[in-house]
């Protein structure tokens, strides 16, 4: 039953996937909002790509849903940007938290887990909260770009997310960083002040540093570790519960 439901949903996506590759970002957003209504939401950590997506989404649908994973370890500049977004776009960001407070994490897993096991820390503070959030959605919209990391190089504009069991829409998947920044300047889009201080990619305070001249833009993420992804966009098959599958099927009208 579970496989049949997933196969049916994947067939629906396969029907539009090829055509979607030539869609403009605004077309992808329009399709997503029309197809999924209130069961689709934009996911963002408020990097430059995310800000472009938020601006575009606001021009397609004023009351679009926007959520973020708040690890409780973010920079003050990131929290400040969230306040500016809520004011400019007139929306309330849906903030998703780990089930463990920072203090509970320390008492359970020891101090400064990110220095010993960043994968576990990201799993506790990002991946599991995201998994919980996505169970209430039929589709999510992200701002990943193919040239950001090797893991993202095969991403499609519209795809089935087997890891979380829902549709994933990546409107600017084929954009370059230059296009992103041109859009930001052309449309006066707000962005994180740290980008002006050599932080091209911004995550948690514990795991982000400024980059030096000539370094890869993501060299400042998890310095000292081979890690390049927090796990949100890694493709892997993960079984979901029958209840979750039934709920997904209802959202797709299957
Ligand atoms: S980025 Fe660092 S501090 Fe943030 S959740 Fe991952 S390991 Fe933990």
């Amino acid at each position: 039953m579970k496989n049949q439901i997933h196969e049916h949903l994947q067939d629906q996506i396969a029907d539009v996937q090829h055509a979607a590759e030539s869609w403009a970002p605004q077309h992808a957003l329009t399709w997503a909002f029309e197809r999924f209504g209130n069961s689709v939401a934009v996911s963002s950590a408020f990097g430059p790509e995310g800000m472009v997506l938020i601006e575009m989404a606001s021009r397609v649908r004023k009351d679009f849903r926007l959520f973020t994973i708040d690890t409780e370890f973010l920079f003050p500049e990131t929290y400040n940007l969230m306040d500016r977004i809520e004011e400019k776009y007139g929306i309330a960001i849906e903030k998703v938290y780990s089930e463990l407070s920072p203090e509970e994490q320390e008492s359970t897993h020891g101090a400064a887990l990110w220095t010993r096991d960043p994968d576990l820390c990201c799993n506790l503070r990002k991946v599991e909260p995201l998994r919980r959030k996505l169970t209430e959605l039929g589709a999510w919209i992200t701002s990943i770009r193919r040239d950001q990391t090797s893991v993202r190089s095969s991403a499609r504009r519209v795809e089935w997310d087997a890891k979380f069991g829902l549709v994933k829409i990546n409107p600017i998947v084929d954009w370059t960083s230059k296009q992103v920044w041109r859009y930001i300047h052309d449309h006066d889009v707000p962005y994180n002040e740290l980008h002006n201080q050599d932080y091209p990619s911004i995550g948690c305070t514990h795991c982000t540093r400024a980059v030096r001249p000539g370094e890869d833009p993501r060299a400042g993420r998890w310095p000292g570790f081979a890690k390049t992804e927090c796990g949100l966009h890694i493709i892997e098959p993960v079984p979901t519960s029958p209840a979750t599958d039934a709920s997904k099927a209802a959202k797709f009208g299957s």
Side-chain angles (χ1 to χ4, degrees):
M1 178 65 175
K2 176 177 71 177
N3 287 341
Q4 283 178 339
I5 292 169
H6 276 190
E7 281 170 17
H8 179 54
L9 297 177
Q10 289 173 64
D11 285 347
Q12 291 181 6
I13 296 314
D15 287 344
V16 300
Q17 191 169 53
H18 181 71
E21 286 304 304
S22 61
W23 288 353
Q26 291 83 356
H27 186 156
L29 285 163
T30 302
W31 177 83
F33 293 143
E34 286 179 354
R35 178 70 182 79
F36 298 100
N38 278 334
S39 74
V40 64
V42 173
S43 163
S44 183
F46 313 115
E49 291 81 6
M51 294 313 305
V52 165
L53 194 60
I54 289 166
E55 176 72 27
M56 287 178 172
S58 76
R59 291 167 182 242
V60 175
R61 179 176 170 168
K62 287 247 169 293
D63 61 344
F64 69 101
R65 289 180 67 183
L66 171 63
F67 75 90
T68 192
I69 309 299
D70 183 351
T71 62
E72 302 177 81
F73 293 142
L74 303 179
F75 285 90
E77 290 84 350
T78 305
Y79 289 113
N80 172 272
L81 179 58
M82 286 191 218
D83 291 342
R84 287 191 282 148
I85 290 166
E86 291 189 326
E87 188 176 340
K88 176 177 166 77
Y89 299 104
I91 55 171
I93 299 170
E94 299 171 33
K95 294 169 185 158
V96 185
Y97 298 93
S98 171
E99 288 184 332
L100 293 178
S101 68
E103 295 75 22
E104 288 167 338
Q105 178 170 307
E106 179 165 337
S107 65
T108 306
H109 297 283
L113 180 61
W114 49 90
T115 64
R116 294 174 286 108
D117 192 344
D119 283 343
L120 176 57
C121 188
C122 275
N123 201 49
L124 292 167
R125 311 213 70 76
K126 293 184 176 182
V127 180
E128 284 313 315
L130 176 68
R131 189 185 302 284
R132 208 181 336 118
K133 181 67 178 175
L134 293 183
T135 61
E136 68 180 66
L137 298 175
W140 63 315
I141 305 172
T142 90
S143 58
I144 60 169
R145 294 187 296 105
R146 289 191 186 116
D147 68 4
Q148 284 175 314
T149 69
S150 59
V151 167
R152 301 180 186 189
S153 63
S154 60
R156 306 289 298 270
R157 201 179 310 276
V158 175
E159 60 190 4
W160 174 250
D161 185 339
K163 178 169 183 170
F164 296 112
L166 78 172
V167 175
K168 186 175 183 182
I169 300 136
N170 308 309
I172 59 169
V173 70
D174 54 351
W175 276 35
T176 62
S177 178
K178 199 170 168 183
Q179 283 176 285
V180 167
W181 279 105
R182 189 182 307 133
Y183 186 96
I184 286 174
H185 294 310
D186 286 351
H187 297 85
D188 199 20
V189 178
Y191 63 87
N192 197 314
E193 294 160 26
L194 288 174
H195 294 312
N196 294 334
Q197 299 168 44
D198 298 321
Y199 286 81
S201 178
I202 302 165
C204 296
T205 54
H206 303 306
C207 302
T208 307
R209 66 158 170 79
V211 299
R212 293 180 279 272
E215 279 190 321
D216 183 272
R218 287 182 72 87
R221 303 293 300 276
W222 302 284
F225 290 92
K227 183 176 171 69
T228 60
E229 291 271 356
C230 49
L232 307 186
H233 301 292
I234 292 174
I235 299 165
E236 64 182 55
V238 171
T240 52
S241 70
T244 300
D245 288 319
S247 142
K248 297 286 182 207
K251 285 171 192 162
F252 283 94
S254 302

